[in-house]
Amino acid sequence: KKILCLSLSFILIIYPKYIFNIGFLYSSISSLRKALRTNSSLIDCFYEELASSINVAEIEQYITHDTANMLRMRYFVND
């Protein structure tokens, strides 16, 4: 799986008024990145958590469908 950096500033640029609502999404991204850095045995769980967070943020309209797809492409598309 391909992992690219997604910073908090990137999220703020796209959705500054929703930062309190999408903190869970940023947390999921941070947790996955940390798990990858530390070679955690639970990486698959962190991928699932991020997928769920993206879906929730999209369904609750905290992010657009296009942004959700962009995040999915960044974190879940194989090389």
Side-chain angles (χ1 to χ4, degrees), residues 54-55 57-58 63-73:
I54 292 169
N55 292 340
E58 180 183 11
I63 61 174
T64 65
H65 177 70
D66 291 338
T67 301
N69 283 338
M70 181 201 64
L71 290 169
R72 290 179 187 112
M73 292 295 292

Side-chain angles (χ1 to χ4, degrees), residues 6-19 22 62-63 67 70:
L6 179 68
S7 67
L8 178 57
S9 60
F10 175 79
I11 294 172
L12 283 171
I13 289 168
I14 296 176
Y15 295 102
K17 68 180 182 177
Y18 291 126
I19 191 59
I22 61 172
Y62 297 143
I63 61 174
T67 301
M70 181 201 64

Side-chain angles (χ1 to χ4, degrees), residues 18-37:
Y18 291 126
I19 191 59
F20 296 110
N21 293 335
I22 61 172
F24 66 92
L25 178 57
Y26 180 69
S27 177
S28 294
I29 292 168
S30 296
S31 295
L32 174 61
R33 292 177 68 205
K34 181 179 179 182
L36 290 167
R37 280 193 311 271

Side-chain angles (χ1 to χ4, degrees), residues 43-61:
I43 288 175
D44 58 332
C45 297
F46 289 103
Y47 273 113
E48 292 300 322
E49 177 186 357
L50 178 56
S52 175
S53 293
I54 292 169
N55 292 340
V56 168
E58 180 183 11
I59 295 301
E60 294 297 326
Q61 298 181 347

